[in-house]
Amino acid sequence: MKQKLYSIIYASVSVFMATMIITFPQEVLKASQRGLDVWANVVFPSLLPFFIVAELLIAFGVVHFIGVLFEPVMRPLFNVPGVGGFVWTMGMASGYPSGAKFTARLRQENQLSKTEAERLVSFTNASNPLFIIGAVSIGFFHDHKLGILLAITHYTSNFFVGICMRFYKYHERNRHSTQHFSIAKAMTQLHHARMRDKRALGKVLGDSVTQSIQTLLVIGGFIILFSVITEILREVQIAQFISGGISIILSWFQIPGELALPLLSGMFEITIGANEVASADSSTLIKAILVSVILAFNGFSVQAQVASILAETDIRFTPYFFARLLHGIFAGIIVTILYVPVYKSLQTTNETVIAAIAQPSVDNIQQLYLMFEQMGFIFTLSALFIYLIILMKQKERL
């Protein structure tokens, strides 16, 4: 009976989506173009190099090397193996859904237990500095100092999520005890891992490119899909209805009700929601709180990407979703605490130590983001062309 109910719900939602696409073709087209533009110009060119390099690092045993070195740190802090340090670092540098992809990859390599993978994926799927500072703070708010506050908040709150999730299924015994720092043992693990991979260098490179691009194609599909879903919900007034209930909850925290709709948009798609929050007529603190919560929650679009990646393994999605709620709570609290000591201090003087350290990094990120906007689409087309050539050669060999 339960499965029949699910069948009816899935079929009804599919019919509803098809009907809305036919009813609002112009709006759906614009939403699709908006999602495609974000994916082709920013997401694809920024994530592809990280994905390819990560595949190479795994194939050549570097991840095993990092795992041995990071074991004395990652196990006491987060109750995960040392390889979690690789996932955590790459996840922060490249942004979501990289943490989920690398966690799933290491689970498939049997370097993580199921519980360890569920702990790891809960705090390694973060936004990257390029998006937080380049797109959100500079692109939407036109204020790079706010980006520094948002980045500190995002990564600090994510760290606390990892600390909390270390107690997830804490009663389960670890497969390995915490190892001591040993470069010799790390090099031995690197060599053994490389020797176990029997693929030739050309095969490794080809597989790295094809697997990375296939993942990014799926990500692009989800970005476009949820951009369309968000637009449809607005057109049929469902979004406005739901935001009415959200505005009541926001009033408990002295947040204006007109920010409910931008917050709801951010719960579906981060980019759209952050842009709408930035355009709202409200105080900077309130907008910083909402954007921090949106970034922490990841949005249903990113969550769907994560779910599709985790579906290839036995890693459950529920711990990740719970961690997103926890991340949102931490982010809202931390950004409120740091607003005055970080953001206000940066506004009052540009000669502080924080500003002196942060300004060069912000300028570099801004230039990098502008480069992606200008050259991203060309890079994406070139990568897809290479992908097609590799696929055709692989089919010829078969």
Side-chain angles (χ1 to χ4, degrees):
M1 184 64 186
K2 185 178 180 181
Q3 293 301 321
K4 288 183 178 180
L5 179 61
Y6 283 150
S7 298
I8 294 173
I9 293 174
Y10 295 154
S12 300
V13 171
S14 301
V15 171
F16 172 77
M17 288 290 296
T19 304
M20 292 302 100
I21 290 174
I22 296 172
T23 306
F24 304 105
Q26 195 67 29
E27 291 77 6
V28 168
L29 177 61
K30 290 181 180 179
S32 299
Q33 290 174 337
R34 183 170 61 241
L36 179 61
D37 181 67
V38 171
W39 175 77
N41 291 333
V42 179
V43 174
F44 189 100
S46 63
L47 289 185
L48 181 61
F50 285 99
F51 282 7
I52 294 176
V53 169
E55 291 290 340
L56 295 176
L57 291 176
I58 293 172
F60 297 146
V62 178
V63 175
H64 293 74
F65 177 86
I66 294 173
V68 175
L69 294 184
F70 276 70
E71 182 75 18
V73 177
M74 298 301 293
R75 183 66 73 183
L77 279 178
F78 306 116
N79 200 16
V80 297
V83 291
F86 163 79
V87 180
W88 191 25
T89 304
M90 294 293 287
M92 286 192 295
S94 55
Y96 21 63
S98 302
K101 174 179 169 54
F102 301 145
T103 301
R105 186 79 169 81
L106 294 180
R107 175 58 183 151
Q108 292 168 344
E109 294 278 326
N110 202 32
Q111 297 187 51
L112 297 168
S113 68
K114 178 183 176 183
T115 299
E116 289 169 344
E118 289 171 351
R119 290 180 192 139
L120 186 60
V121 77
S122 65
F123 70 95
T124 56
N125 209 54
S127 180
N128 65 356
L130 176 68
F131 179 74
I132 295 177
I133 299 177
V136 177
S137 65
I138 296 175
F140 300 155
F141 284 91
H142 309 290
D143 184 359
H144 71 268
K145 293 181 287 293
L146 183 62
I148 298 172
L149 171 64
L150 294 176
I152 294 174
T153 298
H154 188 67
Y155 299 126
T156 303
S157 56
N158 206 28
F159 173 82
F160 286 121
V161 170
I163 295 295
C164 292
M165 291 302 292
R166 79 181 306 277
F167 299 103
Y168 169 70
K169 293 188 177 180
Y170 190 76
H171 62 280
E172 291 189 6
R173 294 177 60 88
N174 297 324
R175 295 185 302 174
H176 307 288
S177 59
T178 302
Q179 301 173 358
H180 298 292
F181 182 84
S182 173
I183 295 181
K185 188 172 184 178
M187 289 298 299
T188 301
Q189 290 292 327
L190 182 150
H191 175 68
H192 289 166
R194 190 188 71 82
M195 295 303 293
R196 284 195 298 267
D197 195 328
K198 303 298 183 181
R199 293 176 296 171
L201 177 60
K203 177 65 173 174
V204 171
L205 291 173
D207 290 347
S208 300
V209 172
T210 54
Q211 290 175 11
S212 300
I213 292 180
Q214 285 171 1
T215 302
L216 284 167
L217 289 173
V218 174
I219 291 172
F222 276 112
I223 291 174
I224 295 172
L225 173 63
F226 276 86
S227 180
V228 170
I229 290 175
T230 304
E231 186 63 32
I232 288 175
L233 292 178
R234 286 174 175 271
E235 291 296 328
V236 297
Q237 302 297 310
I238 293 178
Q240 289 80 349
F241 174 77
I242 298 175
S243 63
I246 296 177
S247 63
I248 297 175
I249 299 175
L250 293 180
S251 65
W252 299 345
F253 301 95
Q254 305 299 313
I255 298 177
E258 55 267 23
L259 288 171
L261 187 56
L263 177 60
L264 179 64
S265 298
M267 291 175 65
F268 279 89
E269 217 291 313
I270 298 172
T271 308
I272 298 173
N275 191 15
E276 292 183 0
V277 170
S279 304
D281 185 16
S282 186
S283 67
T284 304
L285 174 59
I286 296 298
K287 292 194 284 189
I289 292 173
L290 292 185
V291 170
S292 295
V293 171
I294 289 173
L295 291 172
F297 186 68
N298 289 182
F300 293 130
S301 174
V302 173
Q303 291 184 19
Q305 297 167 32
V306 171
S308 68
I309 293 172
L310 299 184
E312 299 176 359
T313 67
D314 58 354
I315 304 172
R316 295 191 308 137
F317 176 79
T318 306
Y320 164 79
F321 181 77
F322 171 77
R324 299 285 56 78
L325 300 178
L326 192 62
H327 193 181
I329 295 172
F330 280 140
I333 295 173
I334 292 175
V335 75
T336 305
I337 295 173
L338 297 181
Y339 181 75
V340 173
V342 175
Y343 180 70
K344 286 297 184 181
S345 65
L346 287 173
Q347 274 195 322
T348 54
T349 174
N350 286 325
E351 297 176 0
T352 60
V353 175
I354 297 178
I357 296 174
Q359 185 61 46
S361 299
V362 170
D363 291 340
N364 292 336
I365 291 176
Q366 182 179 8
Q367 293 174 4
L368 186 61
Y369 185 76
L370 292 175
M371 182 190 73
F372 278 134
E373 284 192 323
Q374 295 171 0
M375 303 296 295
F377 189 70
I378 297 175
F379 179 87
T380 301
L381 283 180
S382 301
L384 291 176
F385 180 72
I386 295 172
Y387 171 69
L388 289 175
I389 293 176
I390 294 175
L391 281 184
M392 286 189 293
K393 287 188 175 181
Q394 288 179 343
K395 289 183 177 180
E396 288 177 359
R397 292 172 184 170
L398 295 176

